[in-house]
Every structure is written in structure tokens, then in C-alpha cells.
Amino acid sequence: MTRVLVVGAGPTGLALALQAHALGAAVRVIDRRTEAARPSRAMMLHARSLEVLRPLGVADSLLRYADSAPTVRLHLRGRVLPVRIAELAVPDTAYPHLTLLPQARVESVLATALESRGVPIERGVELASLRSARRNGVQVQLRGLGEATSDYLVGCDGADSTVRQAVGIGTSGGVYDREIVQADLELDGGLGTDTAHVSTTRAGLIFLFPHGDQAAWRLLATRPVGGGPMSPRDVQEMFDAARLQTRVGRVAWSEIVPMRHRLADRYRDDRVFLAGDAAHVHSPAGGQGMNTGIQDAINLGWKLAQAASATDPETLLDSYELERRPVARATTAWTNLVFWAESGLDPIAALIRTVLLPVGAPLVVPTVLRRRHLTAAGFRILAQLRVAYPSSRLSIDDGRPDSLPLRVGDRLPDLPVAVADGGTRLQTLTAQPGTHLLLLRDAPTVEVDDGSIHVHRLLDRGGRGLVAVRPDGYVGLRTTEASSPQVAHWLSSTGASPTPAVLRRRGLR
Ligand SMILES: Cc1cc2nc3c(=O)[nH]c(=O)nc-3n(C[C@H](O)[C@H](O)[C@H](O)COP(=O)(O)OP(=O)(O)OC[C@H]3O[C@@H](n4cnc5c(N)ncnc54)[C@H](O)[C@@H]3O)c2cc1C
């Protein structure tokens, strides 16, 4: 069994541990915090995160706590524009909606799932230093506990990552001239509690979510760097400037978060990997950070668990950085732009918020919402449904089956299909940890006795080919002939099955 030490039990570390454990690794999770609970930062879980977490059996539990038909009231210098974003025209996902869900809830659902599978989260355990990371394993020093060893170590230890510094991976990026103010508040009337509120000011946007951790409301706003802690009076002044008609009662908690964007130069140093905020930090615009971290985790978790049985483990493990680092770079670029429009201090950004948005939004927003393809296109970017790895070395194109024209490297869309039990959808069929082989109707039989390879026959899709889906839900291989040698090659290169010889015994060439 491959031993994976996960440093950090934030959303990235928890998702990584769940994925690696589900694929057969022995996982150890440590976190220096003694308490599980901490104030939420992220408030949105995107559709792609729900999709990749679904095979791990946690998507329904997450949705139980979520607001999946959120409404927003846009306060535009005295005018109020209600916006409802639900039932988007995105037919190929089971989650065609925005999902408001505080980060603390995401963490508690993932932690509960992990513990129920017999993986304890060792709290109050801090990685002090990394002794060595060689070909045969990683040795670390845990504060007060001595040495620990593992085959691989993943630093999911946040923006100031000890792991990143210990292996000497540099970063590039910059700091913003604005900081984030977060607070949990009680408000004395004036605002509907069944909806979020967004307001424009010269200084930036103000977001109010009816989902505080320690009070009814969560405030998220920006301001120039260097301000002190927020008193109720400061918050009230901010609201008055935004013409938000409410009185601030109690400020139960607040924090000031300096903002920066940063990308690690590398995601891997031999047997040590970085994921989540340890590898990349962006502004909160678009709610991408936690979601990108979860998807890093799902991408890396299966590769660590299966590397030992891959024909070329180094190529498999290197594919993590090659696939995921460009995603973080692109996300930083577009969130920088959105963050500038939301909070930039220069006259052009202020003009956008104080003139263009208040005048333009009442005209543009209803039109965009009516043109459902436009909202759907924006949603696909925001929800990370467009992330793809077409040029990855794990993506093999051996011919396009006409009846299932999926592209290699794309996420498996949630299309309706027919199987022996009746009608279903592709993401329902593949909602179990492991590799999935989708055989077309006339493909030769494939017998597999490995529990982590699942074979499905699609009765409504003619042809002799197959499509292979990776454990993170991306199409890895397509072929017009299921007996193609590429199938065995792909399975063994991803570590799904140990050797081509074993595959032959199972009926694949
Ligand atoms: C104001 C704000 C709003 C945001 N809003 C959103 C949003 O809407 N949507 C979104 O997707 N993202 C959002 N983000 C980003 C999101 O909060 C982060 O991307 C997310 O927390 C990253 O998770 P992580 O698990 O990688 O790291 P963290 O959450 O930072 O977790 C790291 C963990 O590692 C532990 N640790 C650190 N060092 C050690 C050590 N040496 N030994 C042991 N344990 C250690 C820490 O205790 C911690 O538990 C927001 C961020 C901010 C600041």
C-alpha cells in the first residue's frame, strides 16, 4: 500500500485524503490546528467540485446544507435589482446551479466522511521540518512527536506553506493595494434574509450573505490596505455609503485579510507535492480558490494511489503539475481582472462601479438572464466545467467513436445513456471511485477482476469502441475498437491495472 502523508486538513487536504484513500492508498492526515472549526472564507462550491466529489459519496451531504437556488439583490446606488440564478441551461451537469455553502460546512462534511472511513484527522500535529525526500520515501519531523515516514507527502498547508519552503520551491506573484474585510453581523431589519445582497460603492463591492458562522450575516468587502479592525460604526458607515438601508446591530467576529496572488514555480519536488493554496493563491473574485484546491486534490489523489502500479510512475506523477498549474495560472489572470473591476482604486474601476454598473446593469442583466446561452457560457467558466487536459500525456486519441463523440482530456459530460438496467446518465454510472470503461454496444466483452476498474456497456451507442474515464472524471482514452492495444497501454500507464499481461488474462489486448 502506498503511504501518503497529507499536511493540512483544509478543503484541499481533506479532498486529497478522501480520493487517495478511495483508490487504495494508506493515508495519514495531520493539521496543526487543535480545533476543527474555523471561520469560513469561501462561500461557494462550484458545479465541477460537486461533480468530482460525487464518486466519493459526499455530494448529497454537501447539498443538504447548501442553498442551490440563491437569489441576489443588487443595490445600485438606491435602485434594487433582484436576480435569481437557478436552473441554468447547462444540461450536461447534475448541478446546473450556483451553490452557496460556507467553507466550514464543506470541511465538516469531508472530515466526517474521512473519519467514517477509518481515517482519523490528527489535529494539533504540526509538520516542523522535512528531513529528506529521496527516491525511497519522505522523512519528516512532527513537532513534539518525532519522525514520520511516508512514500509521498502532499503540502496542503495553505498560502504560507511550510512544505513549500522546506523543499525550496519559489513563487511568483504580487500583492494588491486592497484588503478584504470579513465580518459576521446581526442586522436590525431592512434586508430580506432569504437572499444575498451586493452593493456598489466607489471603494468597492459589498457582499452580504445570509450565512454567517457566528451571526446571521456574513459581510465581505474590500477597502484600501492599512485600515484597522472594523467596529460596528465602521460597518455602518460602509453601508451608508452604499445606500444599504439597514442598521448594524452586533459585530460577532471580523477579520482583515491581506490580498495577494501567487503561483508556485513547481508543484512537485521528487516525492513531495503542493496542492491548493500552498501552490496558488488568487483574489476571492469568482470564488475560485477552494474549488481549484479541491480539484487539484482529486487530480493528484488517484495518481499517488496508483503510481506504484503504473508502467511509468514518473510520467503519471508529473502529469499533475502539467495539468493543474496552467489552470491556476489562467484562473489568476481572469480573477485579477474581475477583482480590479470589483475593487480597483483607480478612476476607471471606480467609474465602472459607480456609473456603468448602476446605469447598465438594469438594462443588461435581465437581457443576459433571458439569453440563457449567455448565462450558461458564463456559468461554465465560473463553475470550472471548461477545465480540460487535451494535451496531457495521459490523453490518448485512438479514433473518435461516432456514437459517443467525447474529446480526450475533457470532463465526462453528464449525458443520458441506456444500460442493461435502463436509462441513466454518465455521471450516475461513473459515481464510484476508480477507472470507468464505457463500452459501445457492439464492443468485445471485457472482463476485469480489479475492483477499481468498472466496465459499463452503453446499449444506445452503436460501435465497437470504448471510452476510458479517469478516476477524476476526465476522458483519458477514446478508441473505435475496444480490442486496440492502446487500451492496455492506457490502463497500465495510469496505474489502473498493473501490467499488460494481467490485462490480457482479463480479456483486453
Ligand atoms: C476572504 C476570502 C474569501 C474567499 N472566498 C472564496 C470563495 O468564495 N470560493 C473559493 O473557492 N475560495 C475562496 N477563498 C479561498 C479559500 O478560502 C482558499 O482557497 C482555501 O481555504 C484553500 O484551502 P487549502 O486547504 O488549500 O488551504 P487552507 O484552507 O489554508 O488550509 C491549510 C491547512 O493547513 C494547516 N497547516 C498549515 N501549516 C501546517 C503545518 N506546518 N503542519 C500541519 N498543518 C498545517 C492549517 O492549519 C490549515 O488547516 C477565499 C479566501 C479568502 C481569504
Side-chain angles (χ1 to χ4, degrees):
M1 250 190 174
T2 303
R3 295 165 306 152
V4 180
L5 176 62
V6 180
V7 182
T12 306
L14 294 168
L16 189 118
L18 273 172
Q19 173 82 330
H21 175 263
L23 275 306
V27 178
R28 181 172 184 191
V29 187
I30 61 167
D31 197 299
R32 68 179 171 201
R33 282 183 289 136
T34 46
E35 298 292 322
R38 60 175 173 167
S40 292
R41 286 190 161 174
M43 296 299 284
M44 264 201 283
L45 189 65
H46 287 307
R48 186 61 187 145
S49 300
L50 282 161
E51 286 185 348
V52 297
L53 289 169
R54 184 176 179 186
L56 299 171
V58 291
D60 288 344
S61 314
L62 288 163
L63 284 174
R64 211 166 292 137
Y65 298 107
D67 177 358
S68 49
T71 53
V72 178
R73 285 181 162 257
L74 287 178
H75 297 255
L76 303 163
R77 301 183 67 73
R79 292 181 67 175
V80 179
L81 183 68
V83 180
R84 185 157 190 274
I85 310 158
E87 293 305 316
L88 295 161
V90 187
D92 67 352
T93 179
Y95 311 107
H97 48 74
L98 292 183
T99 307
L100 276 189
L101 185 61
Q103 180 168 337
R105 198 52 103 167
V106 174
E107 291 177 5
S108 77
V109 169
L110 300 185
T112 304
L114 204 53
E115 282 166 343
S116 74
R117 288 156 211 197
V119 181
I121 296 155
E122 299 177 47
R123 301 197 186 275
V125 177
E126 181 175 8
L127 178 101
S129 62
L130 213 116
R131 303 282 297 253
S132 73
R134 299 235 171 78
R135 288 275 152 215
N136 52 352
V138 187
Q139 264 187 11
V140 297
Q141 192 71 28
L142 303 180
R143 197 173 302 287
L145 288 182
E147 242 173 45
T149 56
S150 62
D151 298 310
Y152 297 107
L153 180 146
V154 191
C156 306
D157 51 345
D160 298 316
S161 171
T162 311
V163 173
R164 191 183 64 228
Q165 290 163 33
V167 291
I169 295 181
T171 58
S172 56
V175 290
Y176 295 105
D177 55 3
R178 292 89 79 200
E179 59 194 14
I180 296 278
V181 175
Q182 291 212 110
D184 283 345
L185 311 169
E186 298 299 349
L187 299 178
D188 295 335
L191 298 180
T193 53
D194 54 349
T195 169
H197 298 264
V198 179
S199 184
T200 55
T201 70
R202 216 185 145 64
L205 294 187
I206 295 175
F207 295 85
L208 270 170
F209 300 100
H211 298 285
D213 290 322
Q214 297 173 40
W217 291 94
R218 163 59 58 90
L219 163 73
L220 192 154
T222 54
R223 66 178 191 189
V225 287
M230 293 292 279
S231 67
R233 199 174 148 174
D234 296 329
V235 181
Q236 188 64 56
E237 279 174 11
M238 187 186 267
F239 285 1
D240 293 344
R243 301 199 209 166
L244 271 174
Q245 305 291 329
T246 185
R247 305 296 313 162
V248 177
R250 188 170 65 95
V251 177
W253 162 87
S254 73
E255 72 169 354
I256 314 296
V257 190
M259 282 289 108
R260 59 195 162 177
H261 56 95
R262 198 151 75 175
L263 180 62
D265 299 339
R266 290 173 291 128
Y267 278 19
R268 177 180 183 197
D269 186 82
D270 206 339
R271 292 176 164 263
V272 177
F273 295 80
L274 302 177
D277 274 20
H280 48 77
V281 184
H282 0 95
S283 84
Q288 299 294 301
M290 174 179 76
N291 290 278
T292 309
I294 288 173
Q295 285 163 65
D296 289 347
I298 299 299
N299 183 298
L300 178 59
W302 71 268
K303 293 174 182 172
L304 294 176
Q306 295 186 181
S309 35
T311 36
D312 179 0
E314 294 310 305
T315 300
L316 179 63
L317 295 173
D318 279 342
S319 72
Y320 164 62
E321 174 181 324
L322 293 171
E323 292 177 353
R324 294 301 302 169
R325 194 166 173 276
V327 174
R329 205 178 22 224
T331 304
T332 306
W334 74 259
T335 53
N336 264 344
L337 191 67
V338 177
F339 193 52
W340 166 77
E342 278 182 9
S343 66
L345 300 174
D346 56 288
I348 297 176
L351 188 77
I352 291 175
R353 290 189 303 272
T354 53
V355 179
L356 292 187
L357 204 59
V359 174
L363 304 171
V364 174
V365 171
T367 313
V368 170
L369 289 178
R370 260 199 315 277
R371 303 237 162 129
R372 298 185 75 210
H373 67 281
L374 286 180
T375 25
F379 174 79
R380 281 184 185 279
I381 296 172
L382 189 76
Q384 307 188 347
L385 295 174
R386 290 177 58 95
V387 169
Y389 315 122
S391 49
S392 169
R393 289 185 65 183
L394 305 185
S395 301
I396 296 183
D397 194 353
D398 188 39
R400 171 177 174 270
D402 289 335
S403 63
L404 194 62
L406 306 176
R407 286 187 307 193
V408 291
D410 278 7
R411 75 183 241 287
L412 181 74
D414 195 28
L415 302 177
V417 286
V419 292
D421 295 341
T424 182
R425 301 187 74 93
L426 284 179
Q427 291 188 8
T428 308
L429 203 60
T430 56
Q432 293 176 68
T435 298
H436 295 266
L437 299 180
L438 307 175
L439 295 182
L440 301 184
R441 192 187 56 218
D442 315 309
T445 304
V446 172
E447 284 170 17
V448 176
D449 56 9
D450 183 322
S452 72
I453 303 179
H454 311 279
V455 182
H456 317 274
R457 188 175 293 278
L458 308 181
L459 299 178
D460 58 344
R461 310 277 168 158
R464 293 179 52 80
L466 70 74
V467 167
V469 184
R470 311 172 358 167
D472 55 0
Y474 288 84
V475 174
L477 163 79
R478 66 179 189 181
T479 176
T480 45
E481 186 48 68
S483 59
S484 160
Q486 290 291 359
V487 177
H489 169 69
W490 183 84
L491 284 171
S492 49
S493 69
T494 59
S497 198
T499 62
V502 174
L503 290 168
R504 257 199 301 281
R505 276 209 307 281
R506 291 172 181 157
L508 287 170
R509 280 200 296 119

